[in-house]
Structures are given as structure tokens and as C-alpha cells.
Amino acid sequence: MLRVVLAEDSVLLREGLVGLLGRFGHEVVAAVGDARALRDAVAAHSPDLVLTDVRMPPGFQDEGLREALALRAADPRLPVLVLSQYVQRAYAAELLGTGDGTGVGYLLKDRVGQVEQFAEAVERVGAGGTVVDPEVVRQLLRRRRDPLEALTPREREVLGLVAEGRSNSAIARELVVTEAAVGKHIGNILGKLDLPPAQDTHRRVLAVLAYLRG
């Protein structure tokens, strides 16, 4: 069970998230509607995870993200999962650059509708993992056309799943291929992107994301 502080200005979505998190055994210790209240709730409850929207009152710009960044600066070990309505590459890159990149995630709100995947993302970030929405990965890929043009369509697909934090076995199930085939694809990807191979999945994700952000 994770103790969660939730920040979302939409009352309907906020209440929906409270119910969804409770359904998977997590406790929302505070559900707030603005960035200042988020800061106060974290100080009061010392949660296991912060789940926040990017745009919050009063300006509805990037208040939620800036508060998330401030919280991570004060405690880099605090897991933070940010929800956004749209892909905002600068936001994603800045958030993923906080601390050592552990316990952090960036998802589009549409992903909440995919209940099982959303719950898995929450738990992965809470456990210190890294989660990035596949659409964010695709947007980041568009920034780096060379040498990513060398990747085959299948390798691009595998890269997106790697950046989501999927294990080789999970990728194999998703693509209906063998784990050996996945391992070969990942080896090709890392070679083409001039990234050192790593046995640890989390370090592998960070390496790919660091390249895409660069």
C-alpha cells in the first residue's frame, strides 16, 4: 500500500483518482486542488508518492510541475508522478532530470483510462522506478532524427516500451515475440544509439531517456 498525496484541480477527476487508487489498495492521505495546498499536504503527511497535475490554480500554467520540482529538490527520494493533458517535452525533460532519475514519472491523463496500466505506473514510481508515457517518448524521438533514423520500425516500438520501464519479458508479451528476440532488438538499439548496455532495467531506461533528452 502507498500513502499518496494527490493534487488535481478538477473535482471530478480528483474524486475519480481517489476511488481508483483505493481500489488498488492505496490510501490517499490528502486530495488537494492547488500547488500551495500540495506543498502543505506533503509537509503534513510525508507521503510515499505524490501524484499531481501539471496545470494548477491560480495561473493554470505549470504550477503543479514547479511544485513537483521543488519537492524533488528538497527530497530527491520522494516519488513523484505527474499527469498532463498534453505532451509538453520541456516539462518531461525537466522532471526526468530531477534527482538521480529514480522514482519519477510523466503520464498523459488519457492513460488513467487504462486502469491496469495506470495502477502499474503508480506502483512502479512508488517503488523507485521510472515511467514515461509512450506518446512522450514518440515526441522526444522526433527531436532526435539522427541517428534514430537508423532504427527499424520494430526497434522504435521496442525503444518506446523500454522507456516506459518494461522488462524484456513484458515487452515480449506485448509484441508476442520471444525474450531472445527482444534482447536482440535492445542490443541493436543501444548499439545504434551508442549507449552502453546495462543489465539493470532502470539504468537502461535512464540511459535511453538521457540520450533522448540530449
Side-chain angles (χ1 to χ4, degrees):
M1 182 188 76
L2 295 171
R3 298 173 64 257
V4 180
V5 165
L6 168 64
E8 167 58 56
D9 63 285
S10 168
V11 175
L12 288 177
L13 181 54
R14 186 166 69 236
E15 292 303 312
L17 287 169
V18 169
L20 182 58
L21 290 166
R23 171 180 163 185
F24 285 91
H26 306 303
E27 179 187 4
V28 178
V29 295
V32 301
D34 62 72
R36 182 180 295 275
L38 169 59
R39 183 189 318 158
D40 294 341
V42 170
H45 296 283
S46 299
D48 302 316
L49 175 79
V50 169
L51 178 62
T52 182
D53 189 8
V54 168
R55 297 186 176 187
M56 302 278 286
F60 293 96
Q61 297 296 320
D62 60 355
E63 288 86 350
L65 174 74
R66 284 191 279 109
E67 189 57 44
L69 293 172
L71 291 169
R72 289 275 292 178
D75 182 5
R77 297 171 298 175
L78 175 65
V80 172
L81 177 57
V82 167
L83 297 177
S84 179
Q85 189 69 44
Y86 307 102
V87 177
Q88 306 199 42
R89 292 177 300 190
Y91 287 165
E94 189 171 3
L95 179 69
L96 293 167
T98 60
D100 61 358
T102 60
V104 65
Y106 186 102
L107 289 180
L108 296 184
K109 287 186 176 180
D110 288 347
R111 202 66 54 192
V112 176
Q114 300 174 19
V115 175
E116 298 291 339
Q117 290 184 20
F118 175 71
E120 182 183 351
V122 167
E123 291 167 6
R124 188 181 300 152
V125 172
T130 304
V131 174
V132 187
D133 195 282
E135 181 58 30
V136 175
V137 174
R138 282 191 284 272
Q139 292 282 345
L140 292 172
L141 285 172
R142 294 189 187 117
R143 296 174 57 198
R144 299 296 300 271
R145 286 294 183 185
D146 184 18
L148 292 172
E149 290 180 346
L151 300 185
T152 67
R154 176 63 93 181
E155 287 168 352
R156 287 173 178 264
E157 190 174 13
V158 170
L159 177 60
L161 294 171
V162 168
E164 286 183 60
R166 304 285 188 94
S167 66
N168 283 17
S169 59
I171 294 172
R173 289 193 299 271
E174 177 77 16
L175 301 181
V176 195
V177 298
T178 66
E179 286 191 48
V182 172
K184 183 177 180 179
H185 284 311
I186 291 174
N188 290 339
I189 291 166
L190 295 176
K192 291 178 181 179
L193 299 185
D194 196 26
L195 291 167
Q199 293 182 346
D200 180 78
T201 300
H202 180 66
R203 286 189 292 126
R204 182 178 65 184
V205 171
L206 292 180
V208 172
L209 291 175
Y211 181 88
L212 296 176
R213 290 198 304 267

